[in-house]
């Protein structure tokens, strides 16, 4: 029997709140609590040591042990391995940004653990145990905010850039051939189509940043340009013709990547002209 934790899938806890709720330790990826008879599994994607991933509706969770070969008889690996024959309840959290633990729900071991090779904390190849986990309530829909995945990706990109060529080749050679998949939720904006159309007509087929002709024409014969809000809507910008320009795809990506002050000022001047 699971205890009353009061959580709903997609709820986000701090580490302190997680500890208070499950009466478990403050650290570790597999935390067992005697007081609640619960095994809390944490997949921290920001640390990028383990290759945990969702494949369809099954979460492939890497066992405990950061260096050397992992064992099914070791610590919480053993408890998870035997959890289907005991009354231990298992809960899964994922971390995409520091100190933000996203509750996935109660899970169970839905397949036999299997071994694969992963790199350990010393960057040595070693066998690890993978536990296939499924949500006990398959109807639960876990919605992951887009910014959480972006935060995880940015952290991992920074770590990847610090690797030597040999270290990077080791990572690449052991990469999973089956990509994980998620259901994410993003905040959308209802953009004014008339403002967008006006900005494109004002540009007259020429990118308003690099001042080059649109790179191609659509099937309908229109020059292909993308509308861009100088002050982003996500940062409080207004959906007006004074804040909207038309850019080629390359310059559009440039603005979202660099957003340099010089380019912003140029576009403000362009957008101020009717």
């Amino acid at each position: 029997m699971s205890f009353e934790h009061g959580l709903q899938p997609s709820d986000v806890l701090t580490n302190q709140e997680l500890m208070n709720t499950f009466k478990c330790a403050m650290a570790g990826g597999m935390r067992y609590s005697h007081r609640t008879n619960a095994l809390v599994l944490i997949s921290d994607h920001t640390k990028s040591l383990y290759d945990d991933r969702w494949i369809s509706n099954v979460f492939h969770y890497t066992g405990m042990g950061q260096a050397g070969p992992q064992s099914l008889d070791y610590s919480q690996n053993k408890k998870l391995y035997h959890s289907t024959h005991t009354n231990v309840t298992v809960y899964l959290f994922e971390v995409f940004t520091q100190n933000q633990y996203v509750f996935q729900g109660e899970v169970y071991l839905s397949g036999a653990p299997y071994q694969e090779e992963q790199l350990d904390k010393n960057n040595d190849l070693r066998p690890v145990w993978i536990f296939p986990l499924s949500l006990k309530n398959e109807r639960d829909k876990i919605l992951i905010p887009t910014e959480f995945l972006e935060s995880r990706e940015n952290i991992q990109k920074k770590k990847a850039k610090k690797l030597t060529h040999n270290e990077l080749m080791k990572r690449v050679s052991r990469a999973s051939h089956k990509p994980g998949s998620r259901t994410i939720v993003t905040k959308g904006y209802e953009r004014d189509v008339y403002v967008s159309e006006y900005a494109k007509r004002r540009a007259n087929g020429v990118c308003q940043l690099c001042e080059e002709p649109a790179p191609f024409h659509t099937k309908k014969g229109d020059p292909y340009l993308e509308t861009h809000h100088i002050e982003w809507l996500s940062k409080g910008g207004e959906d007006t013709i004074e804040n909207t320009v038309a850019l080629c795809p390359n310059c559009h990506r440039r603005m979202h990547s660099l957003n340099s002050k010089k380019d912003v000022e140029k576009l403000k001047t362009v957008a101020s002209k009717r």
Side-chain angles (χ1 to χ4, degrees):
M1 287 289 292
S2 58
F3 72 103
E4 294 297 325
H5 48 70
L7 298 176
Q8 296 295 322
S10 302
D11 282 352
V12 180
L13 304 183
T14 64
N15 191 41
Q16 185 63 53
E17 290 170 336
L18 187 150
M19 292 165 51
N20 294 341
T21 300
F22 292 92
K23 315 301 180 188
C24 61
M26 67 178 295
M30 303 174 77
R31 309 180 190 181
Y32 175 68
S33 169
H34 289 280
R35 294 174 62 182
T36 59
N37 197 30
L39 178 61
V40 178
L41 305 179
I42 299 169
S43 180
D44 192 338
H45 301 290
T46 67
K47 295 182 178 178
S48 70
L49 176 61
Y50 301 127
D51 185 22
D52 300 337
R53 69 268 186 195
W54 286 97
I55 301 177
S56 296
N57 295 322
V58 178
F59 191 65
H60 296 253
Y61 181 80
T62 309
M64 191 175 187
Q66 295 188 357
Q70 292 183 350
S71 169
L72 282 179
D73 292 323
Y74 175 65
S75 191
Q76 311 307 339
N77 288 344
K78 183 176 182 179
K79 195 171 292 293
L80 178 57
Y81 181 40
H82 294 289
S83 60
T84 54
H85 307 297
T86 64
N87 60 350
V88 174
T89 51
V90 184
Y91 299 94
L92 176 64
F93 286 83
E94 290 186 76
V95 180
F96 302 92
T97 187
Q98 189 174 13
N99 202 31
Q100 299 287 292
Y101 295 75
V102 183
F103 182 58
Q104 303 297 309
E106 185 176 346
V107 295
Y108 65 95
L109 193 61
S110 55
Y114 62 92
Q115 284 188 297
E116 70 177 31
E117 289 187 324
Q118 290 185 22
L119 296 171
D120 66 7
K121 67 177 183 180
N122 300 316
N123 211 34
D124 295 323
L125 214 58
R126 48 72 182 267
V128 299
W129 282 100
I130 305 295
F131 297 89
L133 305 173
S134 295
L135 291 169
K136 189 171 184 180
N137 187 351
E138 294 182 354
R139 292 173 296 179
D140 289 341
K141 289 187 177 180
I142 314 301
L143 302 177
I144 304 299
T146 304
E147 57 265 29
F148 277 22
L149 292 184
E150 290 175 347
S151 174
R152 178 196 66 174
E153 186 175 351
N154 289 335
I155 291 172
Q156 292 179 337
K157 281 181 178 178
K158 290 178 181 178
K159 290 184 177 181
K161 282 191 173 294
K162 294 179 180 179
L163 297 176
T164 66
H165 181 74
N166 288 338
E167 290 172 337
L168 187 59
M169 287 302 297
K170 281 186 179 180
R171 295 281 177 180
V172 171
S173 66
R174 304 316 307 170
S176 172
H177 295 291
K178 294 183 178 180
S181 59
R182 313 295 314 230
T183 299
I184 63 174
V185 58
T186 184
K187 185 176 182 179
Y189 295 91
E190 296 181 354
R191 293 170 171 80
D192 191 317
V193 295
Y194 302 107
V195 169
S196 176
E197 177 62 21
Y198 182 90
K200 290 179 180 179
R201 290 190 188 184
R202 180 174 56 187
N204 196 28
V206 176
C207 173
Q208 294 179 294
L209 183 58
C210 69
E211 301 179 18
E212 293 292 331
F216 62 91
H217 284 70
T218 67
K219 291 181 179 179
K220 293 184 178 181
D222 299 322
Y224 184 83
L225 294 173
E226 299 173 349
T227 52
H228 171 72
H229 293 92
I230 303 169
E231 185 177 350
W232 302 351
L233 299 184
S234 61
K235 295 184 178 180
E238 295 182 344
D239 192 16
T240 62
I241 58 175
E242 293 82 13
N243 191 47
T244 307
V245 291
L247 306 177
C248 68
N250 188 54
C251 285
H252 197 185
R253 294 312 309 161
R254 169 180 174 143
M255 291 307 300
H256 280 278
S257 178
L258 302 178
N259 204 35
S260 73
K261 185 177 180 180
K262 179 181 178 181
D263 289 341
V264 168
E265 291 304 317
K266 177 177 180 178
L267 293 179
K268 283 182 177 179
T269 300
V270 169
S272 67
K273 301 175 182 177
R274 297 283 180 108

Short mmCIF file of all heavy atoms in Angstrom, two decimals, residues 193-206 208 222-223 225 227 245-246 274:
data_model
loop_
_atom_site.label_atom_id
_atom_site.label_comp_id
_atom_site.label_asym_id
_atom_site.label_seq_id
_atom_site.Cartn_x
_atom_site.Cartn_y
_atom_site.Cartn_z
N VAL A 193 -2.29 38.19 -37.16
CA VAL A 193 -1.89 37.86 -38.53
C VAL A 193 -1.79 39.11 -39.40
O VAL A 193 -1.03 39.13 -40.37
CB VAL A 193 -2.88 36.86 -39.16
CG1 VAL A 193 -2.84 35.53 -38.41
CG2 VAL A 193 -4.30 37.42 -39.18
N TYR A 194 -2.53 40.14 -39.06
CA TYR A 194 -2.50 41.37 -39.85
C TYR A 194 -1.19 42.13 -39.62
O TYR A 194 -0.62 42.71 -40.55
CB TYR A 194 -3.70 42.25 -39.52
CG TYR A 194 -5.01 41.52 -39.77
CD1 TYR A 194 -5.79 41.08 -38.71
CD2 TYR A 194 -5.43 41.25 -41.07
CE1 TYR A 194 -6.98 40.39 -38.94
CE2 TYR A 194 -6.62 40.57 -41.30
CZ TYR A 194 -7.39 40.13 -40.23
OH TYR A 194 -8.55 39.45 -40.47
N VAL A 195 -0.72 42.11 -38.39
CA VAL A 195 0.58 42.72 -38.08
C VAL A 195 1.68 41.97 -38.83
O VAL A 195 2.58 42.58 -39.42
CB VAL A 195 0.84 42.71 -36.56
CG1 VAL A 195 2.30 43.10 -36.26
CG2 VAL A 195 -0.11 43.66 -35.85
N SER A 196 1.61 40.63 -38.82
CA SER A 196 2.61 39.82 -39.50
C SER A 196 2.62 40.09 -41.00
O SER A 196 3.68 40.26 -41.62
CB SER A 196 2.34 38.33 -39.23
OG SER A 196 3.24 37.52 -39.96
N GLU A 197 1.43 40.15 -41.60
CA GLU A 197 1.34 40.39 -43.04
C GLU A 197 1.86 41.78 -43.40
O GLU A 197 2.56 41.96 -44.40
CB GLU A 197 -0.11 40.22 -43.49
CG GLU A 197 -0.36 40.51 -44.97
CD GLU A 197 0.40 39.58 -45.90
OE1 GLU A 197 0.80 38.47 -45.45
OE2 GLU A 197 0.61 39.96 -47.07
N TYR A 198 1.53 42.77 -42.56
CA TYR A 198 1.99 44.14 -42.83
C TYR A 198 3.51 44.20 -42.78
O TYR A 198 4.15 44.84 -43.63
CB TYR A 198 1.40 45.11 -41.81
CG TYR A 198 1.80 46.55 -42.04
CD1 TYR A 198 1.03 47.39 -42.84
CD2 TYR A 198 2.95 47.07 -41.46
CE1 TYR A 198 1.42 48.70 -43.08
CE2 TYR A 198 3.35 48.37 -41.68
CZ TYR A 198 2.58 49.19 -42.50
OH TYR A 198 2.95 50.48 -42.73
N ALA A 199 4.12 43.52 -41.79
CA ALA A 199 5.58 43.55 -41.65
C ALA A 199 6.25 42.95 -42.88
O ALA A 199 7.27 43.46 -43.37
CB ALA A 199 5.99 42.78 -40.40
N LYS A 200 5.68 41.87 -43.42
CA LYS A 200 6.27 41.23 -44.60
C LYS A 200 6.12 42.13 -45.83
O LYS A 200 7.03 42.23 -46.64
CB LYS A 200 5.61 39.88 -44.83
CG LYS A 200 5.99 38.83 -43.79
CD LYS A 200 5.28 37.51 -44.04
CE LYS A 200 5.68 36.48 -43.00
NZ LYS A 200 4.99 35.18 -43.19
N ARG A 201 4.95 42.76 -45.98
CA ARG A 201 4.77 43.65 -47.13
C ARG A 201 5.70 44.85 -47.04
O ARG A 201 6.24 45.32 -48.04
CB ARG A 201 3.31 44.11 -47.20
CG ARG A 201 2.34 43.01 -47.58
CD ARG A 201 0.97 43.58 -47.87
NE ARG A 201 -0.01 42.52 -48.07
CZ ARG A 201 -1.28 42.74 -48.40
NH1 ARG A 201 -1.72 43.99 -48.57
NH2 ARG A 201 -2.12 41.74 -48.57
N ARG A 202 5.88 45.37 -45.83
CA ARG A 202 6.76 46.51 -45.63
C ARG A 202 8.20 46.15 -46.02
O ARG A 202 8.94 46.98 -46.56
CB ARG A 202 6.70 46.97 -44.18
CG ARG A 202 7.58 48.16 -43.86
CD ARG A 202 7.36 48.65 -42.43
NE ARG A 202 7.58 47.59 -41.44
CZ ARG A 202 7.32 47.72 -40.14
NH1 ARG A 202 6.83 48.86 -39.67
NH2 ARG A 202 7.54 46.73 -39.31
N ALA A 203 8.59 44.90 -45.76
CA ALA A 203 9.95 44.47 -46.10
C ALA A 203 10.14 44.33 -47.62
O ALA A 203 11.28 44.42 -48.11
CB ALA A 203 10.24 43.13 -45.43
N ASN A 204 9.06 44.10 -48.33
CA ASN A 204 9.10 44.04 -49.80
C ASN A 204 10.11 43.01 -50.32
O ASN A 204 10.88 43.27 -51.25
CB ASN A 204 9.41 45.43 -50.38
CG ASN A 204 9.09 45.51 -51.86
OD1 ASN A 204 8.20 44.82 -52.35
ND2 ASN A 204 9.81 46.37 -52.58
N GLY A 205 10.12 41.84 -49.67
CA GLY A 205 10.96 40.74 -50.14
C GLY A 205 12.41 40.81 -49.75
O GLY A 205 13.22 40.01 -50.20
N VAL A 206 12.76 41.77 -48.88
CA VAL A 206 14.16 41.95 -48.47
C VAL A 206 14.27 41.84 -46.95
O VAL A 206 13.49 42.44 -46.21
CB VAL A 206 14.70 43.33 -48.93
CG1 VAL A 206 16.12 43.55 -48.41
CG2 VAL A 206 14.66 43.43 -50.44
N GLN A 208 15.18 42.61 -43.37
CA GLN A 208 15.37 43.94 -42.79
C GLN A 208 16.59 44.03 -41.87
O GLN A 208 16.84 45.09 -41.32
CB GLN A 208 14.10 44.37 -42.07
CG GLN A 208 12.93 44.58 -43.04
CD GLN A 208 11.65 44.99 -42.35
OE1 GLN A 208 11.06 44.22 -41.60
NE2 GLN A 208 11.21 46.22 -42.61
N ASP A 222 5.51 33.85 -53.10
CA ASP A 222 5.83 34.91 -52.14
C ASP A 222 7.27 34.77 -51.64
O ASP A 222 7.73 33.65 -51.37
CB ASP A 222 4.88 34.85 -50.94
CG ASP A 222 3.43 35.05 -51.33
OD1 ASP A 222 3.19 35.87 -52.22
OD2 ASP A 222 2.55 34.38 -50.75
N PRO A 223 7.99 35.88 -51.52
CA PRO A 223 9.34 35.79 -50.94
C PRO A 223 9.26 35.29 -49.50
O PRO A 223 8.42 35.76 -48.73
CB PRO A 223 9.85 37.23 -51.01
CG PRO A 223 8.63 38.08 -51.13
CD PRO A 223 7.61 37.26 -51.85
N LEU A 225 10.09 35.16 -45.91
CA LEU A 225 10.65 35.88 -44.77
C LEU A 225 9.87 35.48 -43.52
O LEU A 225 8.69 35.10 -43.62
CB LEU A 225 10.58 37.39 -44.98
CG LEU A 225 11.43 37.98 -46.12
CD1 LEU A 225 11.11 39.46 -46.30
CD2 LEU A 225 12.92 37.77 -45.86
N THR A 227 8.54 36.61 -39.64
CA THR A 227 8.33 37.77 -38.78
C THR A 227 9.00 37.56 -37.42
O THR A 227 9.04 36.45 -36.89
CB THR A 227 6.82 38.05 -38.57
OG1 THR A 227 6.18 36.85 -38.12
CG2 THR A 227 6.18 38.52 -39.85
N VAL A 245 9.32 42.91 -37.35
CA VAL A 245 10.07 43.04 -38.60
C VAL A 245 10.02 41.71 -39.34
O VAL A 245 9.58 40.69 -38.81
CB VAL A 245 11.54 43.43 -38.33
CG1 VAL A 245 11.64 44.86 -37.82
CG2 VAL A 245 12.19 42.45 -37.35
N ALA A 246 10.50 41.72 -40.58
CA ALA A 246 10.56 40.51 -41.40
C ALA A 246 12.01 40.19 -41.71
O ALA A 246 12.75 41.03 -42.22
CB ALA A 246 9.75 40.70 -42.69
N ARG A 274 6.91 53.55 -41.33
CA ARG A 274 5.70 52.93 -41.88
C ARG A 274 5.87 52.69 -43.37
O ARG A 274 6.44 53.49 -44.07
CB ARG A 274 4.48 53.83 -41.61
CG ARG A 274 4.18 54.02 -40.13
CD ARG A 274 3.50 52.78 -39.58
NE ARG A 274 3.21 52.96 -38.17
CZ ARG A 274 1.97 53.15 -37.68
NH1 ARG A 274 0.96 53.25 -38.49
NH2 ARG A 274 1.78 53.23 -36.39
#
